[in-house]
Amino acid sequence: MTRTKTPDLTREEVDLLIQESTKINVFGYSVDEILRLSVDKITKLTGVKKSSVIFFESGISQKMAVSGFSKDSLHELPFNSIKSSPILKAISNKKVMMASNIHELEDMPLSMKKELEKENVVSMASAPMIINDELVGVLTIYGDGKNLFNAKQIYILSLLASQIAFAINNQKLIRKIRSEKLKLETVQDAIEDGLILFDIGGKVIDYNKAAERILGMKKDIRGLIRKDYLSNQSAHFNQRVDSQRDPNEVFSKVVETGKTQEYFSSLKLSKETRTLQTRLSPIKRGNKIIGVTSNFRDVTDIENQKKEALLEKEKWQAVFDHTGDGVLVVNKTTRKILAANPALEKMVGYKEEEMLGKDFHCYVGLEVDSKGICKNCPISEALQKIEKKNYQSETIEIVLKRKDNSEFWGQVSLSVLKKEIERESLIIITVRDITKLKEVDQLKKDFTSIVSHELRTPLTAIKGFLSMIIKGDVGDLEAKQLHFLNRVYQSTERMVLLVEDLLVINRIETEKVSVTIKPISLNRVLQEVIDELTIKSLSKNIRVRVYIPQNFSNVSADADRLKQILYNLIGNAIKYSQAGSKVRVDVKINDEGMAEVSIKDQGVGISEFDMDKLFKKFSRIQNELSVKAGGSGLGLYITKSLVETQGGKVWAESEKGKGSNFTFTLPLYN
Amino acid sequence: MSKKQTVLLVEDDIILVEMYETKLEMEGYRVELAHSGKEALEKLKGKLVPDLILLDILMPDVNGFEVLKEMKKIPDYRSIPVIMLTNLGEAKIDMNQELIYALGVRDYLIKSRHTPDEVVEKIRKVLPLSDV
C-alpha cells in the first residue's frame, strides 16, 4: 500500500473540512455522539452515502455508528466479526485500505459479502483511527461500484479518521481530569483538617470546606495575604492569634528552609476561643519551593481532655503519695510489685525502686522458700478466701518484718480488682501499722480494762479458793459450813457476771463493740449454747428443744455476739421456768426475708406493766423466781443492743402466769 | 510409771499463782513458775521445755503476747500448746484467731469465769494424759 499523496483541495473545500472536522472535537460530547457526528460528516464531506465508524473500547466492546444503510443497527450485519476481518488486518498496518470489489476479498466471510451485496455495496475504503500509535477504530465508506473513490475522498477519509480518534481521546482525557478533580475535591472536603494553599508570598490560592468551618470564614479568602488576616482586628475573620511562635515567622522559615514546621495558636471566634494546631509544609517542584500548604485542626477538646486527665492523675497521685496507709500494687499472677507508695516505704524500710518487679512477700517480711513459695502464707490464704467466696477484699492482721528485721503488727487489707488494667490482674494491698493498737500498754490505760481487770483478779482468787474448799480439796466440811460457803460462792458468781455485763455495756456505750459479720450456722450456735446450759437445764429438769428446718440458710452475724444473745434468752427461759417444764426454740424465715428465732417458755410470764421496762438497763422484775434466779438486770439490755448492732430486732410477748415468747431477727446470708 | 507432765505457769499475781500451783500439783502436774514474761523467756531459753504453758497476758515488762512472739522464733517452742489466761477484755479479742492458733495458742480463758478445776479440764483437753 503506498502512501497517499496529499491531493489538491480548493480553498472552500479546505475551509469546509476544517469547519466540519472541528465540530466533532467539541468539548463535552460523548463517544456515541462523536461517532454519530462522524458518519454524518464523512457523508457530507465525501458525498458517499454509506459509511460506518467503529470504535473499539478497551478491546472488549465496541461502539458503532452507521449512515446510509437500510438497517438501523450494524449489529445485524455481520460487522461484529470485524475484528477478524481482512479489513482490519490490512488496517493494522495503519494505512487506508481500499477494495474496489468486495467479492475479491479472500478473507471476508461469505455471509458478509452477501449482506453487503444486498445493500448494493461493491467497494469500500477504510481508514484507521489511531490514538497514541494504537488502533482504536475504523472509519469506512462504502461505494455502489459505479464510481471508485477518488484521491480527495480518500484524503478526507483518512483525515477525518484521525480527527475522530483525536476527539475521542480528548474527550476521554477531559473525563479523566474531571473525575480526578472530583475525587480530590471530595477528599479535600471530607477531611476534617483545614487546608489552605498559599504561594510563597503568602497569598491564598485555595482552601477546603474544613478550613472554612474551622476558621469561621464569612467570605472567600482567595487572593488574600496571610499576614493580613492573621493580624489583629481582621474584619474578615474576627480572630486573634496568640501563639508562642509568630505564625508569620514560621511561614517565612518554611519558605526559607523547605522544612515542615508546626505551631499551636488560639483562635478567638465570636462565641469562644479554640486551640488550633497548624502544620505548614512546603510544596516543592524539584528543589524549588513554589508554595506552602497549611494543614490545621481544632485541638481544643483534645487539649482539654489532656488537661483533665493530667489533673486526675495528679489528684490520685497525691492520694497515693500522701495517704498514711502503705499501699502496694501487685500483679495477681506473678505476685510482683508494680508500685509502692511512700507510706509503705516508710513502714517496711525499703525504697520503691528496690521493690519494683520483685515478689512482694520478701518485702513485708514473709518468708519464701528456695522455690519462691511462701508456705502457710496468710496473705495467700486470704487471697484464696477471696476467690472462693467471691468477695472483693479481705482484711487480716499479721506480723510483718521490716528491712532492719524489726517487726510490727500490720492490718493488711487485700483487694482484688475485678477488671484488668492493661491486661494485668491487680491486687491492691493496704498495710496499716497497728502495732500501737496492739500494744498491751494501751489496754492498760483503757478504763474498762483497768476496771475489769482490777475487779476480776480478786474475784478469781475468791472464786478459785472457795471452789477448792467446797470440793474438799483441803479437808472435809460440816454441812453448815458447806452451805454457807456455797452461799458465798453464789454471791461471788453474781459479782463475776455483773462485772461481765458492765464491761459489755461500757463497750456498747463507747461503741467499742466490735462485730465481725460472717455467715453463721444458727443450728451450730444453738447446739453450742444449749450444751453450755445443760447443767442449768438438767438441774431444773427442763428440756430445751430446737425446731429448725433442715439446711436452714446461714445468717449474717457475729458468732460470739449471737452466742451471747442466745445464751441470754435461752438462759432466761430456763431461769424463769418451773422445774419440769419445756423451753422451745423455733427458727424460721419471716415475711421480710429475715431469720426469726423465737424462744418460748412456760414460765412465770411478764405482766403488762413490766413489759415497758423489759429491755431497759437494770430492770428487774420483782417476782419469786427472779430473786432466786439472780442476775444483774442487764442481760436483756445487752441482748437488745447486740441484736440491733447486727441489723435485727428483738421483742417479747408474754402473759403473766402463762409464759413468755422472746423473738429476735437477723439478716440471712445470701 | 507415768511421767509427770510439766506446766509452765506464767503469772504475776502471787495469790493466783498459789491457787493454780496448788490445784495443778494436786492434779499430778509438775509446775514451773515464772512471775513475769522476762522470767518465762529466760526459763525457756534456758532449755526448759514444758508440755504446756499457762500464759497470763497483763504482766509488768514483757507481756504475754510478746512472750508468744518471741517463742515463735525458737523452732522447738512453736509446737508447745499455750493456754492464755487473762482478766482483760472479753473472750473475743482483737486478734486474728487463726493466727494465734498458728502461734500455738489452744485456748484463751478469762480467769474469773473459770474455777481452777475448770482450768484443769481445759488443760486436759489440750494435753491428754500420757499414762503409759
Side-chain angles (χ1 to χ4, degrees):
Chain A
M1 203 62 53
T2 52
R3 225 171 143 210
T4 30
K5 270 192 260 173
T6 315
D8 292 317
L9 292 165
T10 65
R11 176 99 193 208
E12 289 122 345
E13 284 170 331
V14 171
D15 282 344
L16 186 66
L17 188 60
I18 295 171
Q19 199 184 300
E20 293 306 309
S21 62
T22 47
K23 278 187 187 162
I24 302 170
N25 203 10
V26 171
F27 189 81
Y29 280 156
S30 68
V31 171
D32 290 308
E33 284 166 322
I34 293 173
L35 295 177
R36 243 172 299 144
L37 262 176
S38 308
V39 289
D40 288 338
K41 299 300 173 208
I42 195 74
T43 302
K44 195 172 183 176
L45 291 166
T46 58
V48 175
K49 292 212 174 82
K50 293 190 174 68
S51 60
S52 73
V53 65
I54 299 170
F55 174 67
F56 311 125
E57 192 135 60
S58 30
I60 307 164
S61 58
Q62 53 201 33
K63 287 185 185 236
M64 288 179 170
V66 185
S67 176
F69 282 87
S70 62
K71 292 184 178 155
D72 283 323
S73 168
L74 261 179
H75 295 297
E76 292 176 41
L77 288 167
F79 279 96
N80 47 1
S81 60
I82 202 93
K83 275 218 152 151
S84 53
S85 107
I87 300 172
L88 194 58
K89 281 188 198 153
I91 285 171
S92 63
N93 291 327
K94 295 176 187 157
K95 289 190 186 336
V96 176
M97 182 242 118
M98 276 190 289
S100 47
N101 191 341
I102 54 168
H103 294 286
E104 283 167 17
L105 291 171
E106 286 157 356
D107 296 334
M108 185 181 267
L110 199 63
S111 51
M112 191 163 165
K113 287 179 185 173
K114 280 207 166 132
E115 287 295 329
L116 287 173
E117 219 184 351
K118 280 186 193 165
E119 298 278 343
N120 280 327
V121 171
V122 175
S123 60
M124 53 194 280
S126 299
M129 286 154 50
I130 296 171
I131 297 175
N132 296 333
D133 232 22
E134 206 189 296
L135 184 79
V136 296
V138 182
L139 181 65
T140 313
I141 44 178
Y142 304 86
D144 54 13
K146 293 199 181 132
N147 303 307
L148 263 183
F149 305 118
N150 61 37
K152 264 193 205 166
Q153 285 169 322
I154 299 300
Y155 177 67
I156 291 168
L157 181 73
S158 109
L159 202 74
L160 208 62
S162 59
Q163 277 293 317
I164 298 166
F166 185 65
I168 292 173
N169 195 37
N170 256 14
Q171 186 265 355
K172 280 198 180 301
L173 281 173
I174 289 168
R175 282 257 162 97
K176 197 171 179 204
I177 290 172
R178 270 201 180 150
S179 125
E180 291 296 314
K181 183 164 188 257
L182 193 66
K183 264 194 236 165
L184 192 65
E185 279 175 359
T186 312
V187 167
Q188 281 189 344
D189 287 337
I191 58 176
E192 305 261 309
D193 286 2
L195 254 172
I196 303 181
L197 284 166
F198 298 97
D199 67 11
I200 49 169
K203 185 157 42 157
V204 178
I205 298 179
D206 208 351
Y207 56 89
N208 70 349
K209 277 208 166 58
E212 248 181 274
R213 178 177 44 84
I214 293 171
L215 297 176
M217 281 185 212
K218 297 195 174 96
K219 283 192 189 196
D220 187 344
I221 60 163
R222 277 181 294 191
L224 288 184
I225 306 285
R226 190 165 182 274
K227 251 191 212 163
D228 296 337
Y229 74 72
L230 282 180
S231 63
N232 290 348
Q233 289 109 40
S234 163
H236 301 284
F237 282 100
N238 193 28
Q239 69 155 305
R240 196 160 49 90
V241 172
D242 299 311
S243 175
Q244 300 277 21
R245 308 172 67 185
D246 178 359
N248 293 317
E249 272 176 37
V250 180
F251 190 91
S252 310
K253 200 160 184 195
V254 174
V255 175
E256 248 177 69
T257 63
K259 294 214 167 100
T260 301
Q261 301 278 331
E262 276 188 24
Y263 67 90
F264 283 86
S265 58
S266 79
L267 174 68
K268 192 165 177 233
L269 299 172
S270 52
K271 286 192 181 159
E272 54 186 341
T273 304
R274 312 290 293 177
T275 307
L276 298 183
Q277 184 183 17
T278 306
R279 182 184 290 166
L280 297 174
S281 307
I283 305 173
K284 291 182 184 168
R285 187 186 290 157
N287 279 331
K288 203 174 163 204
I289 296 168
I290 57 166
V292 176
T293 53
S294 170
N295 184 330
F296 54 94
R297 57 171 72 134
D298 185 331
V299 295
T300 320
D301 293 329
I302 300 173
E303 291 296 307
N304 284 343
Q305 279 173 16
K306 268 197 226 163
K307 270 192 212 148
E308 277 177 37
L310 199 66
L311 275 171
E312 277 293 309
K313 183 179 182 263
E314 281 173 8
K315 208 199 308 178
W316 291 111
Q317 189 69 39
V319 170
F320 189 70
D321 288 340
H322 294 103
T323 175
D325 291 343
V327 181
L328 264 181
V329 181
V330 169
N331 178 306
K332 189 169 163 214
T333 342
T334 64
R335 304 294 207 230
K336 295 214 165 105
I337 295 176
L338 299 169
N341 74 343
L344 187 85
E345 286 180 322
K346 218 167 151 192
M347 245 178 246
V348 297
Y350 291 100
K351 290 268 157 205
E352 191 189 17
E353 301 98 66
E354 288 178 78
M355 299 192 270
L356 284 177
K358 310 239 171 85
D359 188 313
F360 75 90
H361 289 91
C362 321
Y363 295 94
V364 292
L366 290 168
E367 277 158 40
V368 173
D369 66 17
S370 52
K371 291 186 187 160
I373 301 171
C374 176
K375 283 194 184 146
N376 301 321
C377 177
I379 290 184
S380 298
E381 282 174 33
L383 284 171
Q384 273 171 30
K385 235 192 200 178
I386 291 176
E387 258 153 66
K388 233 196 241 172
K389 305 205 178 165
N390 214 20
Y391 299 154
Q392 299 278 115
S393 67
E394 182 84 359
T395 303
I396 56 173
E397 287 172 10
I398 53 177
V399 175
L400 301 172
K401 213 191 275 191
R402 300 194 181 92
K403 190 178 187 180
D404 63 5
N405 271 325
S406 63
E407 290 182 336
F408 66 99
W409 277 99
Q411 183 180 70
V412 179
S413 286
L414 300 153
S415 268
V416 180
L417 295 191
K418 259 195 174 166
K419 260 173 132 180
E420 288 188 358
I421 293 178
E422 284 184 25
R423 299 220 195 117
E424 289 194 77
S425 232
L426 300 180
I427 307 173
I428 311 287
I429 303 178
T430 313
V431 183
R432 185 175 287 183
D433 187 329
I434 53 167
T435 312
K436 301 237 166 81
L437 292 174
K438 291 291 180 209
E439 293 284 300
V440 175
D441 296 310
Q442 184 62 32
L443 289 175
K444 277 188 191 163
K445 294 179 199 144
D446 188 312
F447 180 72
T448 317
S449 297
I450 294 171
V451 167
S452 67
H453 188 267
E454 294 310 306
L455 285 174
R456 279 167 164 170
T457 305
L459 282 173
T460 310
I462 296 169
K463 181 170 156 171
F465 282 117
L466 261 179
S467 76
M468 289 202 283
I469 298 170
I470 289 170
K471 257 195 85 189
D473 288 345
V474 285
D476 293 329
L477 295 167
E478 284 177 24
K480 257 207 176 138
Q481 287 170 332
L482 185 60
H483 176 72
F484 279 19
L485 287 168
N486 270 317
R487 284 289 186 237
V488 177
Y489 187 86
Q490 279 169 1
S491 304
T492 312
E493 193 58 34
R494 247 179 91 172
M495 281 203 339
V496 168
L497 293 173
L498 180 62
V499 170
E500 299 281 317
D501 288 344
L502 284 172
L503 195 64
V504 173
I505 287 179
N506 177 265
R507 285 195 173 213
I508 290 170
E509 287 179 356
T510 57
E511 281 160 47
K512 280 202 220 99
V513 158
S514 54
V515 181
T516 313
I517 304 284
K518 283 190 183 158
I520 307 284
S521 155
L522 264 174
N523 211 342
R524 187 174 54 83
V525 181
L526 277 165
Q527 282 311 311
E528 280 173 27
V529 168
I530 291 170
D531 284 343
E532 277 176 37
L533 287 167
T534 312
I535 301 173
K536 297 203 172 126
S537 58
L538 275 184
S539 66
K540 285 177 92 171
N541 194 21
I542 290 173
R543 243 199 333 208
V544 181
R545 275 259 164 86
V546 177
Y547 295 87
I548 178 170
Q550 242 193 3
N551 298 323
F552 191 81
S553 159
N554 283 342
V555 289
S556 279
D558 177 303
D560 290 328
R561 304 300 173 199
L562 179 57
K563 220 171 152 187
Q564 241 173 315
I565 294 163
L566 287 168
Y567 194 91
N568 179 258
L569 293 175
I570 300 177
N572 276 355
I574 297 171
K575 219 195 278 183
Y576 292 99
S577 293
Q578 309 281 21
S581 58
K582 294 201 192 86
V583 169
R584 188 192 155 111
V585 180
D586 286 275
V587 181
K588 70 171 191 188
I589 298 179
N590 70 3
D591 296 332
E592 288 162 24
M594 309 245 311
E596 207 178 86
V597 182
S598 303
I599 295 124
K600 217 189 220 121
D601 66 59
Q602 298 165 322
V604 289
I606 305 156
S607 70
E608 234 180 273
F609 175 72
D610 290 326
M611 283 292 264
D612 301 333
K613 303 187 281 166
L614 204 55
F615 291 98
K616 297 209 169 93
K617 253 191 266 191
F618 297 116
S619 68
R620 293 291 309 282
I621 295 164
Q622 294 304 318
N623 59 36
E624 329 79 65
L625 272 178
S626 69
V627 174
K628 258 199 235 164
S632 58
L634 295 170
L636 285 175
Y637 172 77
I638 293 170
T639 299
K640 180 165 185 268
S641 305
L642 291 177
V643 168
E644 284 169 4
T645 308
Q646 291 172 89
K649 282 189 229 156
V650 63
W651 65 95
E653 287 146 346
S654 184
E655 220 187 292
K656 193 157 165 80
K658 292 211 178 135
S660 314
N661 189 351
F662 280 76
T663 313
F664 70 92
T665 59
L666 280 178
L668 288 170
Y669 178 76
N670 41 350
Chain B
M1 196 180 102
S2 62
K3 192 180 143 213
K4 270 192 180 183
Q5 290 174 313
T6 310
V7 174
L8 171 63
L9 173 63
V10 188
E11 169 63 65
D12 63 322
D13 187 299
I14 48 173
I15 296 180
L16 295 181
V17 167
E18 193 191 328
M19 189 179 84
Y20 290 121
E21 196 187 358
T22 313
K23 178 47 77 165
L24 286 167
E25 281 178 351
M26 249 193 262
E27 296 294 330
Y29 294 97
R30 216 192 91 209
V31 183
E32 278 289 330
L33 297 176
H35 292 92
S36 71
K38 209 165 162 195
E39 212 186 310
L41 286 169
E42 272 165 26
K43 289 217 164 166
L44 287 171
K45 285 177 186 164
K47 308 293 179 180
L48 168 68
V49 187
D51 295 288
L52 179 133
I53 303 176
L54 282 178
L55 182 59
D56 185 21
I57 294 183
L58 196 59
M59 291 181 285
D61 65 41
V62 180
N63 68 49
F65 289 131
E66 282 159 1
V67 171
L68 259 184
K69 271 199 271 176
E70 279 300 309
M71 265 178 61
K72 187 172 85 101
K73 294 179 182 170
I74 312 163
D76 294 333
Y77 293 110
R78 283 188 205 153
S79 55
I80 300 180
V82 174
I83 292 179
M84 299 202 84
L85 295 173
T86 188
N87 271 329
L88 270 180
E90 311 167 90
K92 181 179 147 62
I93 51 171
D94 308 274
M95 277 170 83
N96 185 320
Q97 305 279 36
E98 281 116 25
L99 180 69
I100 48 169
Y101 188 86
L103 289 172
V105 176
R106 295 289 178 261
D107 214 336
Y108 186 101
L109 304 175
I110 307 265
K111 283 180 265 189
S112 57
R113 288 189 193 168
H114 305 282
T115 63
D117 269 329
E118 284 164 8
V119 174
V120 169
E121 260 179 59
K122 299 277 183 184
I123 293 173
R124 292 229 174 87
K125 271 198 193 146
V126 168
L127 203 59
L129 288 170
S130 58
D131 275 300
V132 177

